[in-house]
Amino acid sequence: VQLQASGGGSVQAGESLRLSCVASGFIFSVTDMAWYRQAPGKQRELVARINNNANTNYADSVKGRFFISRENARNTVYLQMNSLKPEDTAVYFCNAQPNPSGLSRNYWGQGTQVTVSS
């Protein structure tokens, strides 16, 4: 299993970024996917999740600003991040989750840094 995240960078508050995560080594279409983030000195937290039926859920802190989507034909999950705030600064991790149809455990990508300056 491999998860390759990309799209991070340094932006000003109010700007947008789109993260991508390309998956391989498992059946992507049946797998629930998520994005987590970890800021310095803080625990890793769930940002957004999309299941294999494309149902989504979000952390309260990003609702209405971030949008998760998936493209099964490309084995890719995206995180569109709009109206970014300095508190969104973190390393963002792609996550493939276990479910009865697919994986038996969690897998993590390498992380991509997002830095938002005021």
Side-chain angles (χ1 to χ4, degrees), residues 66-96:
F66 289 14
F67 301 94
I68 189 170
S69 61
R70 65 190 298 156
E71 190 173 359
N72 290 341
R74 294 181 181 268
N75 284 3
T76 302
V77 60
Y78 304 98
L79 184 67
Q80 178 66 42
M81 305 186 294
N82 301 326
S83 301
L84 281 160
K85 303 176 180 180
E87 50 263 44
D88 296 317
T89 295
V91 178
Y92 284 71
F93 296 91
C94 179
N95 168 239

Side-chain angles (χ1 to χ4, degrees), residues 3-10 17-22 35-39 44 47 77-79 81 88-95 108-115:
L3 300 170
Q4 185 66 44
S6 62
S10 296
L17 282 172
R18 189 176 80 155
L19 305 183
S20 300
C21 174
V22 179
W35 287 97
Y36 281 73
R37 67 186 180 187
Q38 187 166 19
R44 191 173 295 190
V47 176
V77 60
Y78 304 98
L79 184 67
M81 305 186 294
D88 296 317
T89 295
V91 178
Y92 284 71
F93 296 91
C94 179
N95 168 239
W108 297 91
Q110 84 285 6
T112 185
Q113 177 71 46
V114 172
T115 303

